[in-house]
Amino acid sequence: MPREIQHRIRLLDQTTREKLPPLYSGEHLGLEALALVKFFTPDSNWTWYASEFDQEDTLFGLVSGFEVELGYFSLAELEEARGPLGLHIERDHYYTPKSLGDLLETHGQRRWDK
């Protein structure tokens, strides 16, 4: 029986990795820190915005899913995860960086408008 080969999705290229500031470097900026990268599930409403990266696996930013919150998330987990229809998480290549505060307001407001 042939072995199933899994192809791992790469969400961050080297250029984008280098643009993301190190973890904790934006603490002094607070909610004014820019989220430079956006990831989303094309088959659900989950979205992740990254403002910092440890250059290995851990990202910090805003997550909008069941709740809207700031926190840490794993690049490896995003690359391996699939949405409810089996689609991979994608990076939004057309995203314009926004501050964490603006995103928090936008996603928080969107949640209450429904």
Side-chain angles (χ1 to χ4, degrees):
M1 179 175 219
R3 293 177 96 175
E4 185 177 316
I5 300 172
Q6 291 187 351
H7 297 283
R8 187 170 173 183
I9 302 298
R10 297 286 179 204
L11 290 173
L12 285 181
D13 57 26
Q14 191 59 39
T15 303
T16 307
R17 286 172 176 266
E18 292 169 2
K19 286 181 183 178
L20 281 164
L23 283 182
Y24 313 112
S25 65
E27 283 184 325
H28 67 286
L29 297 172
L31 293 177
E32 292 304 313
L34 286 181
L36 301 175
V37 183
K38 175 185 175 185
F39 307 104
F40 66 97
T41 51
D43 55 352
S44 79
N45 66 340
W46 280 76
T47 308
W48 298 260
Y49 298 90
S51 62
E52 298 174 355
F53 183 46
D54 73 354
Q55 297 302 314
E56 291 181 30
D57 181 58
T58 304
L59 296 144
F60 176 81
L62 183 131
V63 179
S64 177
F66 294 124
E67 300 291 332
V68 177
E69 58 190 340
L70 296 171
Y72 298 91
F73 47 97
S74 164
L75 180 61
E77 289 179 7
L78 291 180
E79 290 175 339
E80 294 173 6
R82 290 181 179 246
L85 299 177
L87 300 176
H88 290 282
I89 292 170
E90 297 179 20
R91 186 171 127 213
D92 184 346
H93 293 278
Y94 303 100
Y95 167 72
T96 301
K98 296 181 175 81
S99 74
L100 293 174
D102 287 345
L103 292 168
L104 192 58
E105 185 177 315
T106 298
H107 283 273
Q109 184 64 40
R110 215 183 291 157
R111 187 156 310 281
W112 298 116
D113 287 345
K114 290 183 179 180

